[in-house]
Amino acid sequence: MSTNRTFTMIKPDAVEKGHIGAILDKITASGFKIVAMKMTQMSLRDASEFYAVHKERPFFGELVSFMTRGPIVAAVLEKENAVEDFRTLIGSTNPAQAAEGTLRKLFATSVGENAVHGSDSDENAEIESQFHFAGREIF
Ligand code: CMP
């Protein structure tokens, strides 16, 4: 995968509140092209594997429970400097610290239920995209 790609999830809180359309609109209006997308629900096993890097953290159980409680929208996005630009668009992990206009400022309610995921490196973007999508589902 090109380094001009990143991986995102619209998390269960934002899906429950009906924010899928508004979030996708902001993403595409910010210059990202959607090259893969699906609505899906992670199993406990999926979420434990996806977030394995956090398994020793005190919030791991809460994180897995939250991410499996309903559907998510997973997508691969393409743009020059995608990983960094998308992290800027989503804002700080804690929405209380997120800049005005960022997705987390607009749509998130807490550090745990923070509406949108964005990969933190090109390497993780590739790993996370392959976790959710088969090669033939990425365009
Ligand atoms: P994200 O950065 O997408 O991936 C890791 C997630 O762990 C993060 O979003 C939050 O949803 C969650 N997280 C991080 N810190 C905390 C915390 N202190 N309490 C609860 N959840 C957290």
Side-chain angles (χ1 to χ4, degrees):
M1 194 173 75
S2 141
T3 57
N4 290 330
R5 291 184 170 189
T6 191
F7 172 79
T8 186
M9 293 183 286
I10 301 175
K11 299 187 182 186
D13 58 328
V15 173
E16 285 159 10
K17 291 176 190 155
H19 292 323
I20 295 173
I23 290 172
L24 291 177
D25 195 37
K26 286 266 176 204
I27 290 172
T28 53
S30 300
F32 293 88
K33 180 181 171 192
I34 297 167
V35 295
M37 187 164 69
K38 68 169 78 165
M39 192 171 192
T40 184
Q41 185 162 2
M42 296 173 95
S43 67
L44 290 173
R45 187 171 168 176
D46 290 333
S48 300
E49 189 181 334
F50 188 90
Y51 288 112
V53 67
H54 296 304
K55 69 175 184 295
E56 305 304 333
R57 302 284 193 93
F59 58 82
F60 183 70
E62 186 188 324
L63 174 60
V64 167
S65 162
F66 162 57
M67 286 303 297
T68 58
R69 82 172 183 219
I72 59 155
V73 174
V76 181
L77 306 174
E78 187 173 86
K79 182 184 181 295
E80 199 178 313
N81 203 33
V83 166
E84 196 183 329
D85 285 2
F86 194 68
R87 299 277 288 184
T88 301
L89 177 64
I90 63 180
S92 299
T93 304
N94 184 346
Q97 290 158 11
E100 288 299 328
T102 60
L103 296 178
R104 283 171 171 163
K105 184 72 175 184
L106 290 166
F107 301 109
T109 49
S110 69
V111 66
E113 304 207 359
N114 61 7
V116 185
H117 169 84
S119 304
D120 63 5
S121 66
D122 290 340
E123 186 190 4
N124 282 335
E126 170 101 39
I127 292 168
E128 292 170 0
S129 297
Q130 288 182 7
F131 184 91
H132 279 278
F133 294 98
R136 68 179 181 280
E137 296 176 311
I138 302 176
F139 296 91

